[in-house]
Amino acid sequence: METLSKTALITGGSGGIGLELAKLFAKDKYNLILVARDEVKLMSAATELMAQYNIQVVTLARDLFKRESPFEIYDELKSKGVTVNVLVNNAGQGEYGEFSETDINREFDIIQLNIGAYISMTKLFLQDMLIRNEGKILNVGSIAGEMPGPWQSVYHGTKAFVNSWSEAIRNELKDTNISVTVLLPGATETDFFNKASMQDSKILETGLSSPAEVAKDGYEALMSGDDKIISGFKNKAMVAMGNVTPDSMAAENMRKQQEPSDKG
């Protein structure tokens, strides 16, 4: 596969699943654009990737909680004549707690990050892909989007949007050479739980997926042009069970998995 001149843009690319995806693209000689808020972590990731894989890495320290950030990213790359062949929408966060008690402003930020940034980044870079009739888009959804999620109700709702929306735009693009793939991980060993203040959740006791394994599943599905990949046998089983379980029962089961450990 000749990919020497191709470039992948990855949001949330400084750690976790995003960084593991970056390594897979770099191994296949894609140049990279990594987007995240922490400039120090971005530079550390870029240095490692450039040294190990002999590729070019551009870092963009941007806050995707801000509505204008995707437009700034697009304009900057456009002004430099950079072509994005693969877009990976990966950055996302959650907020832990019962909805009646959580911070509404934090939840609006999460909606912007998990939905708004995905829409904006895709809308902008898809226009150029359509002109070239070439491109790939990987949206990191979640098995959380396949079931109601007490104690993380807004997060589950945002991922339900990502899962559904990804399938819809894939269908709209079926007569083009542009593919859309959605990756559905389960609970994964990343910084997600610290950012969501979920250190006391029972879900941490169930065993977490490896971000490298999740990234490998997503990368292979993307390169194969698949529409959707659920990462991990346990997660596939959970989604299959959820598909035949009434929503009220699925919500109760998820509540028991995500509630704080001191709930019994």
Side-chain angles (χ1 to χ4, degrees), residues 22-62:
K23 292 175 183 177
L24 294 171
F25 281 106
K27 185 178 179 182
D28 278 347
K29 298 305 179 184
Y30 278 79
N31 293 320
L32 297 172
I33 302 163
L34 303 182
V35 178
R37 288 187 297 171
D38 191 321
E39 190 163 7
V40 173
K41 288 183 178 178
L42 275 174
M43 291 306 300
S44 175
T47 300
E48 174 189 348
L49 291 163
M50 287 188 290
Q52 185 169 354
Y53 299 103
N54 192 29
I55 58 163
Q56 296 178 12
V57 181
V58 173
T59 62
L60 297 176
R62 296 289 188 278

Side-chain angles (χ1 to χ4, degrees), residues 42-97:
L42 275 174
M43 291 306 300
S44 175
T47 300
E48 174 189 348
L49 291 163
M50 287 188 290
Q52 185 169 354
Y53 299 103
N54 192 29
I55 58 163
Q56 296 178 12
V57 181
V58 173
T59 62
L60 297 176
R62 296 289 188 278
D63 185 353
L64 291 174
F65 283 132
K66 296 179 179 178
R67 187 173 178 178
E68 64 271 17
S69 290
F71 299 90
E72 293 171 354
I73 291 166
Y74 177 79
D75 289 345
E76 180 172 344
L77 295 175
K78 190 77 169 177
S79 70
K80 294 178 179 178
V82 176
T83 296
V84 172
N85 305 98
V86 181
L87 171 65
V88 179
N89 289 306
N90 166 70
Q93 290 188 27
E95 174 72 351
Y96 188 59

Side-chain angles (χ1 to χ4, degrees), residues 170-232:
R170 177 184 173 87
N171 178 267
E172 292 177 355
L173 296 166
K174 66 181 181 178
D175 295 325
T176 72
N177 291 322
I178 301 162
S179 63
V180 178
T181 301
V182 59
L183 168 62
L184 279 63
T188 304
E189 192 175 354
T190 69
D191 201 35
F192 175 89
F193 299 100
N194 290 327
K195 291 177 179 176
S197 301
M198 285 185 70
Q199 295 90 341
D200 296 329
S201 173
K202 288 181 180 177
I203 202 166
L204 296 175
E205 301 168 3
T206 63
L208 303 179
S209 299
S210 158
E213 291 176 3
V214 171
K216 183 173 181 291
D217 286 343
Y219 188 79
E220 290 177 351
L222 177 72
M223 291 304 164
S224 297
D226 297 340
D227 65 331
K228 177 167 67 176
I229 177 68
I230 300 169
S231 181

Side-chain angles (χ1 to χ4, degrees), residues 116-156:
Y118 275 47
I119 291 175
S120 297
M121 294 290 287
T122 302
K123 179 81 75 173
L124 293 164
F125 288 100
L126 177 57
Q127 304 305 314
D128 293 336
M129 290 180 180
L130 284 167
I131 292 170
R132 303 191 309 269
N133 193 27
E134 171 272 333
K136 293 180 181 295
I137 299 169
L138 178 64
N139 291 323
V140 179
S142 173
I143 65 166
E146 302 295 298
M147 59 200 74
W151 289 88
Q152 273 209 105
S153 59
V154 171
Y155 176 75
H156 279 241

